[in-house]
Amino acid sequence: MYYLGVDVGSVSTDIVLLDENSQVLEKIYLRTKGNPINAIQEGFRILNGKYEKHEITGAGTTGSGRMIASAIIGADAAKNEITAHATAALEIDQDVRTIIEIGGQDSKIILLNDGIVSDFAMNTVCAAGTGSFLDRQAERLDIPIEEFGNYALKATSSVRIAGRCAVFAESDMIHKQQLGYNQAEIIRGLCDALVRNYLNNIAKGKQIKAKILFQGGVAANIGMKKAFENALGTEVIVPEHFNMMGAIGAAIIAKSAVRKNGFTNFRGFDVADRDIFSRSFDCEGCSNKCEVVKICEENKIIGYFGDRCGKWGSKLADVKIDLLA
C-alpha cells in the first residue's frame, strides 16, 4: 500500500509516494509554470505504468493549488502548508519545536509545543530571501545556484547588505561589487542579510526554540543554513527530503484520513491523459459574490472550489473505493 502526496505551489509542484512506514519511494519535482493542471498531469505520466491505481490507498494535497489538485486526483485530504509541513517534521522528530520553511515564493515559521502547532507566520509582501530571489541573484552573478551556498562558506568576512527588500538588496549587492568586494563576501553578506530579514520580520516576537528544522528548497543553500546557525547560536537541522516536506506531510495526513474513513477517493494515474481544464464564474447566491472555479474533465464537472459557504463544493458526491471490502 502506498500513499501519494501532492504539493502545488506557485513555483514548483512536488509529488511523493510513501510506503506504509512513511518512507519515500518516489519524489518528483516539477516547475508549475503558472499551470498546475499540466504540472500534475506531467508528474502522473511519470508514475503511470509504474504503479497501479489499486496500489495507492490514500492521496493528499497541500500548497496554494491544493483544491484544484484535490479535484483532479481525487484527494482524501487537502490541508494547508502549515499543517502539512508540521506533520512531516513531526514524523522525523517528535521533539522539533521550530520549523523554518523557505520556498520559491514564500517563507514561513512554525512553532510547535508538545507536537501541536502553537503559532505560525508567513511573509505577506516581499519575496526577499525566497528561492526565486536567490535564483535571480545566482544568475546575475553567473554562479550555479547549487554552488551559491558554498561561496558563502569561502568568505573570511561578511559584507553588510540591506536585506529588507528584494529591490534594495539587489541594488546594494551591485554597489558592493562596484566597491571591489569579491563574490564570496557579497554572497555571505546576502545570506546574513536575508536571515536578519527573516528573524526581524517573519519571526518577530516569536521565541525560537531547538530543535529547529530548516525546510523548503532554500534549505539546499548551505550558506543560509550556516547564517541561521550563527544568528541563533544553535544547530539547524536540514531533513533528507527538505524540499518535499509539504508533499510528505500531505501523504501522511491522507494515510490517517483513509484509515478513519475506510475508503479512498483516488482517481488513478490515468488522469494524466484526460482533457482537464478550469472555468470560473461569479456566484450570485449572496452578497459575497464569490468567484467560484469549476474543474472540468472532458464533458463533466469533477470539482468546485472558491466558494466561502461550501454551496458549490458540496454539490459533487465523492467517488469512493472501499478498502474494507
Side-chain angles (χ1 to χ4, degrees), residues 98 108-111 119-123 164 195-208 228 232:
T98 306
K108 311 177 190 68
I109 185 168
I110 306 170
L111 305 181
D119 197 6
F120 69 91
M122 301 177 65
N123 69 328
R164 293 193 65 180
V195 167
R196 278 197 312 273
N197 179 44
Y198 180 95
L199 297 176
N200 292 333
N201 290 279
I202 299 165
K204 185 177 181 179
K206 304 193 184 301
Q207 191 174 6
I208 298 177
F228 270 116
L232 297 171

Side-chain angles (χ1 to χ4, degrees), residues 132-298:
S132 58
F133 173 72
L134 291 173
D135 278 344
R136 173 177 167 77
Q137 301 315 312
E139 182 179 357
R140 193 178 61 79
L141 294 171
D142 196 25
I143 297 172
I145 188 61
E146 296 80 10
E147 297 296 322
F148 206 70
N150 293 328
Y151 271 75
L153 299 186
K154 296 175 185 177
T156 56
S157 63
S158 178
V159 179
R160 181 82 180 185
I161 290 176
R164 293 193 65 180
C165 168
V167 175
F168 292 161
E170 183 169 320
S171 297
D172 210 13
M173 287 175 65
I174 294 170
H175 177 62
K176 294 301 191 294
Q177 283 179 289
Q178 292 169 340
L179 292 178
Y181 291 98
N182 64 45
Q183 286 183 327
E185 292 170 326
I186 292 171
I187 292 171
R188 178 174 169 181
L190 178 63
C191 291
D192 290 342
L194 298 181
V195 167
R196 278 197 312 273
N197 179 44
Y198 180 95
L199 297 176
N200 292 333
N201 290 279
I202 299 165
K204 185 177 181 179
K206 304 193 184 301
Q207 191 174 6
I208 298 177
K209 298 180 180 179
K211 293 180 175 178
I212 302 170
L213 263 61
F214 187 9
Q215 303 177 178
V218 174
N221 187 323
I222 193 170
M224 289 290 288
K225 175 183 183 294
K226 186 65 176 176
F228 270 116
E229 290 178 332
N230 290 339
L232 297 171
T234 188
E235 181 186 14
V236 173
I237 301 166
V238 177
E240 179 183 0
H241 304 293
F242 59 88
N243 60 337
M244 293 281 165
M245 296 295 274
I248 291 171
I252 295 170
I253 292 168
K255 179 180 178 180
S256 298
V258 168
R259 286 183 172 179
K260 179 181 178 181
N261 298 330
F263 60 84
T264 182
N265 296 313
F266 182 61
R267 303 179 67 230
F269 293 116
D270 59 352
V271 299
D273 299 316
R274 298 176 190 170
D275 181 22
I276 300 175
F277 56 93
S278 63
R279 294 287 185 270
S280 65
F281 63 93
D282 293 329
C283 176
E284 300 294 336
C286 71
S287 59
N288 283 328
K289 295 187 181 300
C290 297
E291 182 182 6
V292 180
V293 178
K294 59 182 178 181
I295 308 301
C296 307
E297 181 182 287
E298 296 167 352

Side-chain angles (χ1 to χ4, degrees), residues 1-5 16-20 56-58 251 254-255 259:
M1 296 192 295
Y2 305 131
Y3 300 92
L4 180 75
V16 299
L17 211 58
L18 308 184
D19 65 13
E20 190 66 34
I56 309 303
T57 50
K255 179 180 178 180
R259 286 183 172 179

